[in-house]
Amino acid sequence: MTDTNTRRPGRPRDEATHEAILEATRRLLLDEGYHSVTFEAVARSAGTSRSTVYRWWPTRGALVLEAAASHIDIGKVPDTGSSREDLTMAIRQLITTFSDPLAGVVIMAAIANLDNDLEMATTFRNDTVYPWRSTAGEAIRRAVDRGDLPADTDVQFLLNVIVGTVFQCTITMATPMTEGLEDALIELAFRSPGSSRR
Amino acid sequence: MTDTNTRRPGRPRDEATHEAILEATRRLLLDEGYHSVTFEAVARSAGTSRSTVYRWWPTRGALVLEAAASHIDIGKVPDTGSSREDLTMAIRQLITTFSDPLAGVVIMAAIANLDNDLEMATTFRNDTVYPWRSTAGEAIRRAVDRGDLPADTDVQFLLNVIVGTVFQCTITMATPMTEGLEDALIELAFRSPGSSRR
Amino acid sequence: MTDTNTRRPGRPRDEATHEAILEATRRLLLDEGYHSVTFEAVARSAGTSRSTVYRWWPTRGALVLEAAASHIDIGKVPDTGSSREDLTMAIRQLITTFSDPLAGVVIMAAIANLDNDLEMATTFRNDTVYPWRSTAGEAIRRAVDRGDLPADTDVQFLLNVIVGTVFQCTITMATPMTEGLEDALIELAFRSPGSSRR
Amino acid sequence: MTDTNTRRPGRPRDEATHEAILEATRRLLLDEGYHSVTFEAVARSAGTSRSTVYRWWPTRGALVLEAAASHIDIGKVPDTGSSREDLTMAIRQLITTFSDPLAGVVIMAAIANLDNDLEMATTFRNDTVYPWRSTAGEAIRRAVDRGDLPADTDVQFLLNVIVGTVFQCTITMATPMTEGLEDALIELAFRSPGSSRR
DNA sequence: ACTTAAGCGAGACGGTACGTCTCGTCTTAAC
DNA sequence: GTTAAGACGAGACGTACCGTCTCGCTTAAGT
């Protein structure tokens, strides 16, 4: 059905090399940081040639995002029927993802817009941030509907509190503060007067 | 009186050039972003030579931090006697600073640790983050002592909530959300069951 | 047949650029002297980039020696069967080479060891000086065997007399003295009491 | 009488520093070669400042020539009454001077015209080469007059043979050949048929 | 089997920036 | 007036990557 199965003429891509490049990228990101992920270094480290890397990834941002794809996937917030459980899941997804060292480096790079690579930031936002934000937003709205959160809750603001706090506690801080973070955030979210039911 | 007045031997620094370099740095930061602040470009743009830039700033981080010094100075939190007023000031300082476009770029660069320039991150933390954090922490502690905040308030966590949220709403977001941010944060901070108005 | 025809992988060298670099080098040597043969100036003058020059020549000595290769090739002394003719050839080769302005500059640079570039001096000696000296030495030895030069002739000394005199008359002197040099040296070489005409 | 004794107003030159600079120059010439005699290195090595060096010597050639002045002074050829003795003296002066390591470096630099410093070459020629050449030329002319050398002797050529050979045997050769050089040259000079009297 | 389209590696090319060095000039304070 | 200190613009050094390019060779799919 899909285009993926449609065999094209010519020599097929060398999957081993392809994976070696992504692996080398991850290795470099973790060991040396984003700044040392040069096409040169990646190719050298993957035992391939610069041209092959360039063939498949136009920019270093694209390469890095694909290499870290599984690490930076925050996920989507489920609808469990329980407000507290939904938000707990949402927060846990954030903490788990942001605590991943590889994800931390890549997310930072995407946001900081190192190389004026707007494409990278946009892709990251569209593929990773928005899916989570919209499902998390729905979870909050469901909680409001249920009366678990005040009727005048500002959804976007609450999302920013949650994301910002987790970001701050995990990525920005010199030494992460993940201990008890989940509980503290849940308590904070539901703390408002009258929102302590469930 | 001060050391500044003590004349040293040798040709004195050309203050006009010095300022031109800082100005060029700011211009580049705003117009093109951190990545295009190269010694080459700064010198060219300031109408001076690379050597002169190198003479005064060893790294691009040092140059950028000094150029943006007045923009990134968050300030210190005062002791007004009113908990609400203290925290309002603290939050306002954050929002004002983080909303400055130049500051945003530089703070991002300092945190993202672009060039593996740990010095830059450290300097930023010591000169800018810590002073604010410690005075803001004291303000929170005073509020706790007064009973304006719960006795079990986690000072560091609350700071992270505030900083993280402001960071998220101003710098990270594609379109900043500063409208009503101050009030919302104040309300959030004092919302807990036992927290009185003051 | 030869290795030259064997195509290597990768983009082939741009021969036009290559030759332009050598030509620019020669131009600079003649017009401005060895000291102005900088990689910078050569690249600029050849309309190429510094990196391309560096790709092919590791040092300025190597570049200069190759650019002047055909000019500084003194040649080898033939075995014509006649002592006088052999030595005449030898001396003529020296004079011709040393009189070439380009050769003069390069030979001077090689000997003076400007940049502590011992490689340059060594290469020049091995590729250019020794071949001539050994064949010229053999020619002298043949002349001794024939009785055209005294049996106790010091070959190395006689070579030094010839080379030194030509060097002095062509390169060192502010205004060269090549007029009649060849004949004078031949006469000098064969002047000793027991040396017959031939 | 002379200007030298005339006291001028102001602080007098610091002779110790002056000499330290010349000494440092010599040290550098011997230890590292002409190429490393930079104003920077000389000042550093002499424990003085660059400006002081620049005040007294406009170019590195001038500095080097003065520093090596006593080493490169070939001298003048005396009139002893004996042709053989005169020429022996002349040749000995050459060999002695050219064998001095410091002189070798400086003479090479002067001739090679490293920095396109024509001034240096000219000064060296006028102050050092010409005095010797003219007195040596006179010695040869006296020898011709006495009949110790053939009437048709080409004075300049003979001078070039002598200078060139000594230069070649001492400075140019990788390993100098001074052994027996003096005698060999004397013999060569007087070898012509009929010139063997005295 | 043969063609053909693509992948792959090697590597050249013109750039740009790096951080260092020396140049020759200059400006100032102190002696 | 000399000295030491040191700033200044200029420009070359040799290195590293950039992104683009041109090749020869390899690998299958489709004929």
mmCIF file of all heavy atoms in Angstrom, chain D residues 121-160:
data_model
loop_
_atom_site.group_PDB
_atom_site.id
_atom_site.type_symbol
_atom_site.label_atom_id
_atom_site.label_comp_id
_atom_site.label_asym_id
_atom_site.label_seq_id
_atom_site.Cartn_x
_atom_site.Cartn_y
_atom_site.Cartn_z
ATOM 1 N N ALA D 121 71.425 44.480 2.304
ATOM 2 C CA ALA D 121 72.397 43.996 1.316
ATOM 3 C C ALA D 121 73.378 45.098 0.955
ATOM 4 O O ALA D 121 74.598 44.880 0.909
ATOM 5 C CB ALA D 121 71.655 43.507 0.075
ATOM 6 N N THR D 122 72.857 46.277 0.730
ATOM 7 C CA THR D 122 73.719 47.396 0.336
ATOM 8 C C THR D 122 74.722 47.748 1.427
ATOM 9 O O THR D 122 75.925 47.895 1.179
ATOM 10 C CB THR D 122 72.852 48.632 0.031
ATOM 11 O OG1 THR D 122 71.867 48.272 -0.932
ATOM 12 C CG2 THR D 122 73.709 49.763 -0.498
ATOM 13 N N THR D 123 74.213 47.852 2.634
ATOM 14 C CA THR D 123 75.102 48.164 3.751
ATOM 15 C C THR D 123 76.209 47.126 3.872
ATOM 16 O O THR D 123 77.385 47.455 4.037
ATOM 17 C CB THR D 123 74.299 48.206 5.066
ATOM 18 O OG1 THR D 123 73.265 49.153 4.941
ATOM 19 C CG2 THR D 123 75.206 48.567 6.230
ATOM 20 N N PHE D 124 75.791 45.880 3.806
ATOM 21 C CA PHE D 124 76.781 44.805 3.925
ATOM 22 C C PHE D 124 77.836 44.913 2.834
ATOM 23 O O PHE D 124 79.038 44.831 3.089
ATOM 24 C CB PHE D 124 76.073 43.451 3.842
ATOM 25 C CG PHE D 124 77.014 42.284 3.814
ATOM 26 C CD1 PHE D 124 77.833 41.997 4.900
ATOM 27 C CD2 PHE D 124 77.109 41.476 2.699
ATOM 28 C CE1 PHE D 124 78.712 40.922 4.882
ATOM 29 C CE2 PHE D 124 77.986 40.398 2.669
ATOM 30 C CZ PHE D 124 78.783 40.132 3.752
ATOM 31 N N ARG D 125 77.387 45.149 1.627
ATOM 32 C CA ARG D 125 78.322 45.275 0.511
ATOM 33 C C ARG D 125 79.268 46.447 0.730
ATOM 34 O O ARG D 125 80.491 46.307 0.620
ATOM 35 C CB ARG D 125 77.550 45.491 -0.800
ATOM 36 C CG ARG D 125 77.568 44.265 -1.697
ATOM 37 C CD ARG D 125 76.998 44.585 -3.061
ATOM 38 N NE ARG D 125 75.573 44.263 -3.139
ATOM 39 C CZ ARG D 125 75.128 43.047 -3.464
ATOM 40 N NH1 ARG D 125 75.959 42.066 -3.733
ATOM 41 N NH2 ARG D 125 73.837 42.820 -3.526
ATOM 42 N N ASN D 126 78.714 47.594 1.062
ATOM 43 C CA ASN D 126 79.544 48.800 1.187
ATOM 44 C C ASN D 126 80.516 48.725 2.363
ATOM 45 O O ASN D 126 81.676 49.094 2.251
ATOM 46 C CB ASN D 126 78.654 50.033 1.346
ATOM 47 C CG ASN D 126 77.913 50.336 0.055
ATOM 48 O OD1 ASN D 126 78.316 49.865 -1.027
ATOM 49 N ND2 ASN D 126 76.842 51.092 0.145
ATOM 50 N N ASP D 127 80.015 48.250 3.489
ATOM 51 C CA ASP D 127 80.831 48.270 4.696
ATOM 52 C C ASP D 127 81.793 47.111 4.794
ATOM 53 O O ASP D 127 82.833 47.204 5.453
ATOM 54 C CB ASP D 127 79.945 48.268 5.951
ATOM 55 C CG ASP D 127 79.118 49.545 6.037
ATOM 56 O OD1 ASP D 127 79.237 50.389 5.133
ATOM 57 O OD2 ASP D 127 78.337 49.674 6.994
ATOM 58 N N THR D 128 81.439 46.014 4.168
ATOM 59 C CA THR D 128 82.207 44.800 4.420
ATOM 60 C C THR D 128 82.841 44.218 3.162
ATOM 61 O O THR D 128 84.028 43.901 3.145
ATOM 62 C CB THR D 128 81.296 43.739 5.070
ATOM 63 O OG1 THR D 128 80.690 44.305 6.226
ATOM 64 C CG2 THR D 128 82.102 42.511 5.459
ATOM 65 N N VAL D 129 82.040 44.084 2.134
ATOM 66 C CA VAL D 129 82.560 43.415 0.942
ATOM 67 C C VAL D 129 83.537 44.315 0.182
ATOM 68 O O VAL D 129 84.661 43.894 -0.104
ATOM 69 C CB VAL D 129 81.410 43.007 0.002
ATOM 70 C CG1 VAL D 129 81.964 42.388 -1.275
ATOM 71 C CG2 VAL D 129 80.476 42.036 0.714
ATOM 72 N N TYR D 130 83.110 45.534 -0.113
ATOM 73 C CA TYR D 130 83.936 46.392 -0.962
ATOM 74 C C TYR D 130 85.312 46.699 -0.374
ATOM 75 O O TYR D 130 86.315 46.637 -1.103
ATOM 76 C CB TYR D 130 83.184 47.673 -1.310
ATOM 77 C CG TYR D 130 82.085 47.440 -2.330
ATOM 78 C CD1 TYR D 130 81.084 48.387 -2.537
ATOM 79 C CD2 TYR D 130 82.052 46.269 -3.106
ATOM 80 C CE1 TYR D 130 80.084 48.184 -3.473
ATOM 81 C CE2 TYR D 130 81.049 46.061 -4.031
ATOM 82 C CZ TYR D 130 80.070 47.003 -4.217
ATOM 83 O OH TYR D 130 79.078 46.791 -5.143
ATOM 84 N N PRO D 131 85.401 47.059 0.914
ATOM 85 C CA PRO D 131 86.739 47.309 1.466
ATOM 86 C C PRO D 131 87.691 46.146 1.225
ATOM 87 O O PRO D 131 88.821 46.330 0.795
ATOM 88 C CB PRO D 131 86.458 47.501 2.962
ATOM 89 C CG PRO D 131 85.061 47.999 3.028
ATOM 90 C CD PRO D 131 84.347 47.332 1.895
ATOM 91 N N TRP D 132 87.177 44.952 1.482
ATOM 92 C CA TRP D 132 88.056 43.798 1.278
ATOM 93 C C TRP D 132 88.366 43.621 -0.198
ATOM 94 O O TRP D 132 89.511 43.425 -0.589
ATOM 95 C CB TRP D 132 87.393 42.535 1.832
ATOM 96 C CG TRP D 132 88.282 41.319 1.678
ATOM 97 C CD1 TRP D 132 89.210 40.875 2.554
ATOM 98 C CD2 TRP D 132 88.326 40.424 0.559
ATOM 99 N NE1 TRP D 132 89.846 39.761 2.067
ATOM 100 C CE2 TRP D 132 89.311 39.455 0.839
ATOM 101 C CE3 TRP D 132 87.628 40.354 -0.649
ATOM 102 C CZ2 TRP D 132 89.628 38.425 -0.040
ATOM 103 C CZ3 TRP D 132 87.939 39.322 -1.529
ATOM 104 C CH2 TRP D 132 88.930 38.375 -1.223
ATOM 105 N N ARG D 133 87.334 43.688 -1.013
ATOM 106 C CA ARG D 133 87.519 43.462 -2.448
ATOM 107 C C ARG D 133 88.491 44.463 -3.060
ATOM 108 O O ARG D 133 89.336 44.096 -3.893
ATOM 109 C CB ARG D 133 86.173 43.557 -3.180
ATOM 110 C CG ARG D 133 85.522 42.205 -3.430
ATOM 111 C CD ARG D 133 84.296 42.342 -4.304
ATOM 112 N NE ARG D 133 84.563 41.975 -5.692
ATOM 113 C CZ ARG D 133 84.297 40.766 -6.196
ATOM 114 N NH1 ARG D 133 83.776 39.823 -5.443
ATOM 115 N NH2 ARG D 133 84.572 40.489 -7.462
ATOM 116 N N SER D 134 88.392 45.713 -2.661
ATOM 117 C CA SER D 134 89.294 46.681 -3.297
ATOM 118 C C SER D 134 90.732 46.479 -2.844
ATOM 119 O O SER D 134 91.652 46.512 -3.659
ATOM 120 C CB SER D 134 88.820 48.110 -3.036
ATOM 121 O OG SER D 134 88.781 48.366 -1.658
ATOM 122 N N THR D 135 90.916 46.215 -1.562
ATOM 123 C CA THR D 135 92.301 45.988 -1.118
ATOM 124 C C THR D 135 92.837 44.672 -1.665
ATOM 125 O O THR D 135 94.005 44.572 -2.055
ATOM 126 C CB THR D 135 92.384 45.977 0.423
ATOM 127 O OG1 THR D 135 91.437 45.050 0.960
ATOM 128 C CG2 THR D 135 92.108 47.363 0.986
ATOM 129 N N ALA D 136 91.977 43.669 -1.730
ATOM 130 C CA ALA D 136 92.427 42.402 -2.310
ATOM 131 C C ALA D 136 92.733 42.584 -3.790
ATOM 132 O O ALA D 136 93.703 42.026 -4.319
ATOM 133 C CB ALA D 136 91.360 41.323 -2.110
ATOM 134 N N GLY D 137 91.915 43.372 -4.446
ATOM 135 C CA GLY D 137 92.165 43.646 -5.864
ATOM 136 C C GLY D 137 93.504 44.340 -6.051
ATOM 137 O O GLY D 137 94.269 43.997 -6.978
ATOM 138 N N GLU D 138 93.786 45.262 -5.172
ATOM 139 C CA GLU D 138 95.080 45.935 -5.280
ATOM 140 C C GLU D 138 96.217 44.951 -5.068
ATOM 141 O O GLU D 138 97.249 45.008 -5.743
ATOM 142 C CB GLU D 138 95.173 47.063 -4.241
ATOM 143 C CG GLU D 138 94.385 48.309 -4.656
ATOM 144 C CD GLU D 138 94.089 49.195 -3.457
ATOM 145 O OE1 GLU D 138 94.858 49.121 -2.471
ATOM 146 O OE2 GLU D 138 93.086 49.935 -3.498
ATOM 147 N N ALA D 139 96.046 44.052 -4.122
ATOM 148 C CA ALA D 139 97.087 43.050 -3.872
ATOM 149 C C ALA D 139 97.349 42.242 -5.133
ATOM 150 O O ALA D 139 98.492 41.952 -5.502
ATOM 151 C CB ALA D 139 96.674 42.135 -2.723
ATOM 152 N N ILE D 140 96.248 41.882 -5.815
ATOM 153 C CA ILE D 140 96.412 41.107 -7.049
ATOM 154 C C ILE D 140 97.121 41.946 -8.104
ATOM 155 O O ILE D 140 98.044 41.474 -8.788
ATOM 156 C CB ILE D 140 95.029 40.654 -7.577
ATOM 157 C CG1 ILE D 140 94.407 39.647 -6.601
ATOM 158 C CG2 ILE D 140 95.149 40.065 -8.968
ATOM 159 C CD1 ILE D 140 93.000 39.233 -6.945
ATOM 160 N N ARG D 141 96.712 43.193 -8.179
ATOM 161 C CA ARG D 141 97.351 44.052 -9.177
ATOM 162 C C ARG D 141 98.863 44.204 -8.898
ATOM 163 O O ARG D 141 99.677 44.180 -9.795
ATOM 164 C CB ARG D 141 96.660 45.421 -9.214
ATOM 165 C CG ARG D 141 96.050 45.717 -10.592
ATOM 166 C CD ARG D 141 95.112 46.896 -10.583
ATOM 167 N NE ARG D 141 93.733 46.491 -10.307
ATOM 168 C CZ ARG D 141 93.021 46.891 -9.269
ATOM 169 N NH1 ARG D 141 93.549 47.732 -8.392
ATOM 170 N NH2 ARG D 141 91.797 46.453 -9.096
ATOM 171 N N ARG D 142 99.186 44.331 -7.623
ATOM 172 C CA ARG D 142 100.617 44.383 -7.279
ATOM 173 C C ARG D 142 101.322 43.105 -7.701
ATOM 174 O O ARG D 142 102.427 43.139 -8.234
ATOM 175 C CB ARG D 142 100.785 44.579 -5.761
ATOM 176 C CG ARG D 142 100.397 45.969 -5.264
ATOM 177 C CD ARG D 142 100.913 46.225 -3.847
ATOM 178 N NE ARG D 142 100.413 45.266 -2.873
ATOM 179 C CZ ARG D 142 99.264 45.410 -2.180
ATOM 180 N NH1 ARG D 142 98.516 46.502 -2.360
ATOM 181 N NH2 ARG D 142 98.890 44.500 -1.320
ATOM 182 N N ALA D 143 100.656 41.976 -7.503
ATOM 183 C CA ALA D 143 101.259 40.701 -7.892
ATOM 184 C C ALA D 143 101.454 40.638 -9.399
ATOM 185 O O ALA D 143 102.465 40.116 -9.890
ATOM 186 C CB ALA D 143 100.360 39.551 -7.426
ATOM 187 N N VAL D 144 100.507 41.170 -10.109
ATOM 188 C CA VAL D 144 100.651 41.199 -11.570
ATOM 189 C C VAL D 144 101.842 42.076 -11.945
ATOM 190 O O VAL D 144 102.690 41.700 -12.772
ATOM 191 C CB VAL D 144 99.367 41.737 -12.234
ATOM 192 C CG1 VAL D 144 99.592 41.993 -13.725
ATOM 193 C CG2 VAL D 144 98.217 40.765 -12.030
ATOM 194 N N ASP D 145 101.911 43.242 -11.298
ATOM 195 C CA ASP D 145 103.008 44.163 -11.597
ATOM 196 C C ASP D 145 104.356 43.511 -11.332
ATOM 197 O O ASP D 145 105.313 43.695 -12.072
ATOM 198 C CB ASP D 145 102.882 45.436 -10.743
ATOM 199 C CG ASP D 145 101.687 46.273 -11.178
ATOM 200 O OD1 ASP D 145 101.149 46.011 -12.285
ATOM 201 O OD2 ASP D 145 101.274 47.168 -10.414
ATOM 202 N N ARG D 146 104.376 42.717 -10.279
ATOM 203 C CA ARG D 146 105.644 42.048 -9.939
ATOM 204 C C ARG D 146 105.913 40.865 -10.855
ATOM 205 O O ARG D 146 106.987 40.259 -10.778
ATOM 206 C CB ARG D 146 105.563 41.501 -8.518
ATOM 207 C CG ARG D 146 105.822 42.531 -7.444
ATOM 208 C CD ARG D 146 106.023 41.819 -6.103
ATOM 209 N NE ARG D 146 105.717 42.725 -5.008
ATOM 210 C CZ ARG D 146 104.578 42.728 -4.343
ATOM 211 N NH1 ARG D 146 103.647 41.860 -4.620
ATOM 212 N NH2 ARG D 146 104.388 43.624 -3.386
ATOM 213 N N GLY D 147 104.916 40.483 -11.638
ATOM 214 C CA GLY D 147 105.112 39.324 -12.490
ATOM 215 C C GLY D 147 104.803 38.018 -11.791
ATOM 216 O O GLY D 147 105.017 36.940 -12.316
ATOM 217 N N ASP D 148 104.228 38.094 -10.585
ATOM 218 C CA ASP D 148 103.869 36.873 -9.862
ATOM 219 C C ASP D 148 102.577 36.276 -10.389
ATOM 220 O O ASP D 148 102.258 35.114 -10.133
ATOM 221 C CB ASP D 148 103.715 37.164 -8.370
ATOM 222 C CG ASP D 148 105.046 37.550 -7.755
ATOM 223 O OD1 ASP D 148 106.091 37.214 -8.351
ATOM 224 O OD2 ASP D 148 105.042 38.200 -6.683
ATOM 225 N N LEU D 149 101.815 37.096 -11.078
ATOM 226 C CA LEU D 149 100.604 36.601 -11.734
ATOM 227 C C LEU D 149 100.668 37.054 -13.188
ATOM 228 O O LEU D 149 101.308 38.065 -13.501
ATOM 229 C CB LEU D 149 99.354 37.177 -11.064
ATOM 230 C CG LEU D 149 98.982 36.590 -9.698
ATOM 231 C CD1 LEU D 149 97.782 37.289 -9.125
ATOM 232 C CD2 LEU D 149 98.722 35.075 -9.825
ATOM 233 N N PRO D 150 100.059 36.315 -14.074
ATOM 234 C CA PRO D 150 100.141 36.654 -15.504
ATOM 235 C C PRO D 150 99.632 38.068 -15.759
ATOM 236 O O PRO D 150 98.764 38.573 -15.050
ATOM 237 C CB PRO D 150 99.203 35.636 -16.153
ATOM 238 C CG PRO D 150 99.053 34.535 -15.169
ATOM 239 C CD PRO D 150 99.243 35.133 -13.816
ATOM 240 N N ALA D 151 100.159 38.683 -16.776
ATOM 241 C CA ALA D 151 99.801 40.068 -17.105
ATOM 242 C C ALA D 151 98.322 40.203 -17.472
ATOM 243 O O ALA D 151 97.716 41.249 -17.261
ATOM 244 C CB ALA D 151 100.667 40.562 -18.268
ATOM 245 N N ASP D 152 97.787 39.111 -18.026
ATOM 246 C CA ASP D 152 96.387 39.211 -18.462
ATOM 247 C C ASP D 152 95.401 38.742 -17.386
ATOM 248 O O ASP D 152 94.255 38.424 -17.679
ATOM 249 C CB ASP D 152 96.169 38.406 -19.743
ATOM 250 C CG ASP D 152 96.430 36.924 -19.502
ATOM 251 O OD1 ASP D 152 97.026 36.589 -18.451
ATOM 252 O OD2 ASP D 152 96.029 36.115 -20.345
ATOM 253 N N THR D 153 95.856 38.693 -16.158
ATOM 254 C CA THR D 153 94.975 38.248 -15.073
ATOM 255 C C THR D 153 93.733 39.143 -14.977
ATOM 256 O O THR D 153 93.840 40.367 -14.941
ATOM 257 C CB THR D 153 95.724 38.296 -13.726
ATOM 258 O OG1 THR D 153 96.822 37.391 -13.774
ATOM 259 C CG2 THR D 153 94.790 37.936 -12.584
ATOM 260 N N ASP D 154 92.571 38.490 -14.914
ATOM 261 C CA ASP D 154 91.317 39.236 -14.732
ATOM 262 C C ASP D 154 91.075 39.359 -13.225
ATOM 263 O O ASP D 154 90.666 38.399 -12.568
ATOM 264 C CB ASP D 154 90.171 38.476 -15.404
ATOM 265 C CG ASP D 154 88.835 39.201 -15.266
ATOM 266 O OD1 ASP D 154 88.658 39.987 -14.310
ATOM 267 O OD2 ASP D 154 87.966 38.968 -16.124
ATOM 268 N N VAL D 155 91.322 40.549 -12.731
ATOM 269 C CA VAL D 155 91.284 40.734 -11.270
ATOM 270 C C VAL D 155 89.925 40.359 -10.682
ATOM 271 O O VAL D 155 89.828 39.610 -9.708
ATOM 272 C CB VAL D 155 91.641 42.187 -10.897
ATOM 273 C CG1 VAL D 155 91.530 42.377 -9.387
ATOM 274 C CG2 VAL D 155 93.033 42.522 -11.389
ATOM 275 N N GLN D 156 88.871 40.914 -11.248
ATOM 276 C CA GLN D 156 87.540 40.635 -10.700
ATOM 277 C C GLN D 156 87.212 39.152 -10.740
ATOM 278 O O GLN D 156 86.637 38.597 -9.801
ATOM 279 C CB GLN D 156 86.475 41.440 -11.466
ATOM 280 C CG GLN D 156 86.574 42.943 -11.243
ATOM 281 C CD GLN D 156 86.588 43.302 -9.762
ATOM 282 O OE1 GLN D 156 85.773 42.818 -8.986
ATOM 283 N NE2 GLN D 156 87.544 44.139 -9.351
ATOM 284 N N PHE D 157 87.584 38.519 -11.840
ATOM 285 C CA PHE D 157 87.313 37.089 -11.943
ATOM 286 C C PHE D 157 88.050 36.315 -10.855
ATOM 287 O O PHE D 157 87.490 35.444 -10.187
ATOM 288 C CB PHE D 157 87.700 36.567 -13.327
ATOM 289 C CG PHE D 157 87.570 35.085 -13.456
ATOM 290 C CD1 PHE D 157 86.316 34.475 -13.495
ATOM 291 C CD2 PHE D 157 88.701 34.271 -13.537
ATOM 292 C CE1 PHE D 157 86.202 33.095 -13.611
ATOM 293 C CE2 PHE D 157 88.577 32.899 -13.643
ATOM 294 C CZ PHE D 157 87.320 32.315 -13.678
ATOM 295 N N LEU D 158 89.307 36.652 -10.693
ATOM 296 C CA LEU D 158 90.093 35.947 -9.686
ATOM 297 C C LEU D 158 89.499 36.151 -8.284
ATOM 298 O O LEU D 158 89.413 35.222 -7.474
ATOM 299 C CB LEU D 158 91.548 36.418 -9.722
ATOM 300 C CG LEU D 158 92.505 35.696 -8.771
ATOM 301 C CD1 LEU D 158 92.363 34.178 -8.883
ATOM 302 C CD2 LEU D 158 93.952 36.117 -9.040
ATOM 303 N N LEU D 159 89.070 37.383 -8.039
ATOM 304 C CA LEU D 159 88.417 37.649 -6.752
ATOM 305 C C LEU D 159 87.168 36.773 -6.599
ATOM 306 O O LEU D 159 86.915 36.202 -5.529
ATOM 307 C CB LEU D 159 88.013 39.129 -6.652
ATOM 308 C CG LEU D 159 89.148 40.111 -6.385
ATOM 309 C CD1 LEU D 159 88.639 41.544 -6.457
ATOM 310 C CD2 LEU D 159 89.777 39.837 -5.023
ATOM 311 N N ASN D 160 86.427 36.657 -7.665
ATOM 312 C CA ASN D 160 85.213 35.839 -7.596
ATOM 313 C C ASN D 160 85.528 34.371 -7.381
ATOM 314 O O ASN D 160 84.803 33.670 -6.669
ATOM 315 C CB ASN D 160 84.387 36.024 -8.866
ATOM 316 C CG ASN D 160 83.629 37.343 -8.849
ATOM 317 O OD1 ASN D 160 83.455 37.937 -7.785
ATOM 318 N ND2 ASN D 160 83.202 37.809 -10.017
#
